[in-house]
Amino acid sequence: MSSQNDAATSGSGLTKTLTITSGKGGVGKTTLVANVALQLGREGNRVLILDGDLGMANVDLMFDKRATKTIYDVLTGNASMDEVLMEVDKNVFLIPSGSGVKELTRLAEVERRNLLDQVSQIPAMFDYLIVDTAPGIDDNVLYLNSAAQEINVVVTPDPSSLADSYALIKVMNKYYRETKFSIICNMVKDEAEGLAIYQRLSDVGAQFLNVSLDYKGSIPADPYLRRATKSQQLVLKSNPDCIASRSIIEVTNNLSAFSDIESFKGNVQFFWKQYFGVA
Ligand SMILES: Nc1ncnc2c1ncn2[C@@H]1O[C@H](COP(=O)(O)OP(=O)(O)OP(=O)(O)O)[C@@H](O)[C@H]1O
Ligand SMILES: [Mg+2]
C-alpha cells in the first residue's frame, strides 16, 4: 500500500487515530470517548468520533442528541457522508452507527471502496479520530483496533475485566502483531488501585506475550459521573470539579501526548483503508 503517497496528498497526515476499547462490557468506554472528545474540543482541537459499537451505538445519546442518519445510510446509498456527520459539540463531530451496520464486515469490494471514497470526502480536517468500540474480541473490534495508531484498553478492578483485557491484548498480539497498548483504569478506589491493576497487566503482558503497556491514568468510581449519565449529561459539563472530571482531563492530557513510535502506522487514510479492508 502507498501510505507515503497518501500522507503527501491527503493534506492531513496529522490526524491522530485512537480507539477506546475493552475486553469486558460496561467499563466506561463510551463515557470516556464522549468526555475526552469534549475536552479535546475545548482545547481547540477538531475531533471526529466514530461510533464503532455497531450493536449498541450510543455516543449520540451521551451528547443528548439523536442521530437520524447513520453510516448505514451511506452504505445503502441513502445519504452521503457529510449528511451523516453530526456536530455534537463545539469542534466535536460524530459519525453515528446503528443496527444493520454489522454488515460492514461482510461488504463486497465495490461497497468498501464506495464507503472509503465517501470517508475521504469528509470536508473538515481533524486533529483526532476517536473510535468507540464494542467490548470483546469480535472481528469488528479487532479491525478497528488494528487500524488505529493507539489502542486504549479500559480496565476496571473487576477480576473478569482484567482477564478479558488480557484476552483482547493476546488476540490483538497473535493475529495483528500489535505489541503496544495503552491502559486506562476506570472505576477505581484511588490511583494506587489503578496503578496496581496496570502493573499486573503489564507484568503478565511482558512475561507471556512480549507486549508493552503504557499507563494513561485512572478514573475513580464517582457517583457524580453515574448521575450525569442518567440525566444524559457529560460529567465534564455537569460537575467539572468532581474527581472523575479532573481525572478524565488528566487522561486526556496523557492521550494527546503521543509517542512517536505509533506514527509509522500511518495517517487517517490508512485507518479507513484498514477498516474497510481496501488495502
Ligand atoms: N468512573 C465512573 N464512576 C461511576 N460510574 C461510571 C464510571 N465510568 C462509567 N460509569 C458508569 O458505567 C456505566 C457504563 O458506562 P459506559 O456505557 O460508558 O460503558 P461502556 O464500556 O461503553 O459499555 P458497553 O461495553 O456496553 O459499550 C454507565 O452507567 C456509566 O455512567
Ligand atoms: Mg459503550
Side-chain angles (χ1 to χ4, degrees):
M1 80 165 285
S2 57
S3 55
Q4 254 181 344
N5 244 356
D6 294 336
T9 53
S10 70
S12 170
L14 299 175
T15 309
K16 293 169 181 171
T17 60
L18 52 101
T19 55
I20 309 270
T21 192
S22 69
K24 184 180 182 295
V27 296
K29 294 179 295 298
T30 308
T31 305
L32 273 170
V33 165
N35 283 285
V36 163
L38 180 76
Q39 178 61 19
L40 287 170
R42 284 176 170 177
E43 291 167 4
N45 301 287
R46 290 179 65 82
V47 185
L48 178 60
I49 303 171
L50 171 66
D51 192 341
D53 190 344
L54 308 177
M56 289 271 288
N58 59 352
V59 179
D60 53 347
L61 293 179
M62 289 270 169
F63 287 93
D64 204 12
K65 300 245 160 42
R66 197 74 190 109
T68 49
K69 290 192 155 78
T70 70
I71 200 166
Y72 187 65
D73 294 295
V74 179
L75 181 62
T76 50
N78 292 319
S80 64
M81 192 55 93
D82 39 314
E83 288 175 284
V84 166
L85 208 67
M86 280 171 88
E87 185 165 9
V88 288
D89 213 291
K90 188 167 183 283
N91 288 336
V92 184
F93 293 76
L94 168 68
I95 301 177
S97 281
S99 48
V101 188
K102 276 207 171 67
E103 295 163 36
L104 269 182
T105 49
R106 279 176 257 126
L107 296 185
E109 177 79 7
V110 58
E111 293 172 308
R112 289 176 191 278
R113 285 199 182 275
N114 179 27
L115 256 186
L116 189 67
D117 280 352
Q118 288 283 343
V119 160
S120 333
Q121 283 160 23
I122 291 175
M125 295 302 178
F126 291 99
D127 300 300
Y128 290 89
L129 171 67
I130 304 181
V131 184
D132 183 21
T133 81
I137 54 170
D138 246 29
D139 273 356
N140 241 305
V141 177
L142 302 182
Y143 274 147
L144 281 168
N145 283 330
S146 72
Q149 290 167 332
E150 184 168 294
I151 304 168
N152 293 278
V153 183
V154 183
V155 193
T156 70
D158 183 341
S160 65
S161 167
L162 201 73
D164 293 351
S165 303
Y166 181 75
L168 173 62
I169 290 169
K170 187 174 171 180
V171 172
M172 287 301 305
N173 176 250
K174 183 165 180 204
Y175 295 107
Y176 290 92
R177 300 191 188 283
E178 294 290 343
T179 56
K180 290 188 142 294
F181 298 84
S182 297
I183 303 295
I184 302 172
C185 302
N186 191 20
M187 305 192 203
V188 297
K189 274 203 304 284
D190 50 26
E191 173 111 36
E193 186 180 44
L195 277 166
I197 293 169
Y198 162 72
Q199 202 55 57
R200 278 230 293 287
L201 257 182
S202 184
D203 288 348
V204 287
Q207 193 180 348
F208 299 109
L209 303 175
N210 209 16
V211 298
S212 68
L213 308 186
D214 202 12
Y215 176 69
K216 295 285 179 184
S218 293
I219 300 140
D222 185 339
Y224 284 115
L225 191 155
R226 197 169 289 280
R227 234 171 285 155
T229 309
K230 280 209 178 105
S231 51
Q232 296 201 339
Q233 279 192 304
L234 295 178
V235 71
L236 281 189
K237 285 190 179 177
S238 61
N239 306 89
D241 293 324
C242 73
I243 181 81
S245 291
R246 284 185 278 127
S247 310
I248 289 170
I249 291 173
E250 241 180 81
V251 167
T252 307
N253 293 340
N254 292 338
L255 286 178
S256 53
F258 256 73
S259 66
D260 291 337
I261 300 167
E262 282 87 14
S263 61
F264 82 92
K265 243 177 132 183
N267 58 5
V268 71
Q269 267 70 26
F270 174 82
F271 175 87
W272 294 116
K273 283 189 178 176
Q274 281 284 105
Y275 183 43
F276 296 130
V278 193

